[in-house]
């Protein structure tokens, strides 16, 4: 039998919101024969117990805050990713995790965008968003046509986005 694909999901939420519900649903039904999945969460996240109830390992990170960009978590995440050596890192909004994954040499980085992009803003902001997404995400998953459209309007390259409902 072929070796399993090692996937780390990163969710910084301390509560169980839309992204958390999506992740719990995925964890309940994912192909355990093909994928070795673990979830990286803040150590005090309400998700920890729920994920463990599904017999999926949790990697609790004390430094992880409930926000996308978090300077203090970068070193801890880089160290964790180097130790775990995932084939795929799948984030749910954590820019810090994507940056740490690039630094740690993770081969593939996916990010799911669960909500609409903010106002498009001026051209420099669009260019910056496009550069950041290109540098730190191999693919971005939009959860709806509306999210995809808002990402494109905000500056993300349409070639980088796939829509998975």
């Amino acid at each position: 039998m072929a070796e399993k694909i090692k996937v780390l999901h990163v969710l910084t939420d301390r509560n169980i919101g839309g992204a958390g519900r999506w992740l719990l649903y995925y964890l309940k039904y994912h192909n355990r024969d093909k994928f070795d999945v673990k979830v990286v969460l803040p150590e005090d996240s309400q998700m920890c117990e729920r994920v463990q109830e599904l017999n999926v390992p949790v990697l609790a990170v004390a430094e992880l805050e409930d926000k996308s960009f978090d300077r203090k978590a970068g070193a801890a995440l880089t160290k964790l990713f180097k130790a775990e050596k995932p084939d795929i890192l799948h984030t749910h909004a954590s820019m810090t995790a994507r940056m740490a994954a690039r630094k740690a040499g993770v081969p593939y980085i996916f990010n799911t965008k669960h909500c609409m992009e903010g106002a498009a803003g001026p051209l420099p902001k669009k260019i910056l968003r496009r550069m950041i997404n290109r540098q730190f995400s191999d693919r971005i998953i939009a959860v709806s046509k509306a999210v995809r459209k808002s990402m494109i309007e905000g500056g993300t390259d349409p070639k980088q986005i796939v829509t998975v409902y």
Side-chain angles (χ1 to χ4, degrees):
M1 186 160 116
E3 193 172 319
K4 290 182 183 182
I5 297 169
K6 190 169 189 177
V7 180
L8 293 184
H9 280 268
V10 179
L11 182 66
T12 60
D13 295 350
R14 287 194 157 75
N15 63 357
I16 303 174
R21 285 189 215 357
W22 179 94
L23 184 56
L24 290 169
Y25 183 81
Y26 166 80
L27 294 172
K28 186 174 181 180
Y29 296 105
H30 77 278
N31 184 338
R32 292 172 188 260
D33 294 329
K34 187 172 181 175
F35 298 101
D36 175 19
V37 176
K38 295 180 182 176
V39 180
V40 179
L41 296 164
E43 67 181 1
D44 60 346
S45 173
Q46 294 174 15
M47 289 282 295
C48 290
E49 185 177 338
R50 297 282 303 275
V51 170
Q52 289 168 333
E53 288 171 357
L54 295 170
N55 295 316
V56 175
V58 170
L59 303 171
V61 178
E63 298 86 351
L64 202 54
E65 291 290 332
D66 190 354
K67 56 186 175 180
S68 180
F69 184 72
D70 178 16
R71 269 186 221 275
K72 71 180 180 102
L77 289 172
T78 301
K79 182 178 177 181
L80 176 67
F81 301 155
K82 283 182 178 180
E84 288 291 323
K85 295 180 176 48
D87 299 302
I88 299 169
L89 182 88
H90 187 157
T91 67
H92 303 270
S94 180
M95 174 55 71
T96 303
R98 284 178 270 155
M99 294 169 80
R102 250 325 156 236
K103 190 173 182 180
V106 175
Y108 296 101
I109 303 169
F110 300 149
N111 177 47
T112 294
K113 183 73 174 167
H114 293 271
C115 58
M116 301 288 279
E117 206 56 88
L123 185 59
K125 186 175 181 180
K126 287 182 180 182
I127 293 169
L128 179 62
R129 183 176 285 146
R130 182 176 288 217
M131 288 171 42
I132 288 170
N133 283 333
R134 184 175 291 138
Q135 177 67 30
F136 299 111
S137 298
D138 294 302
R139 285 283 184 256
I140 302 171
I141 300 166
V143 299
S144 69
K145 287 180 186 176
V147 169
R148 176 185 168 81
K149 182 179 182 227
S150 76
M151 291 177 68
I152 293 167
E153 288 172 355
T156 301
D157 185 347
K159 294 177 201 148
Q160 197 174 13
I161 305 168
V162 294
T163 305
V164 179
Y165 298 98

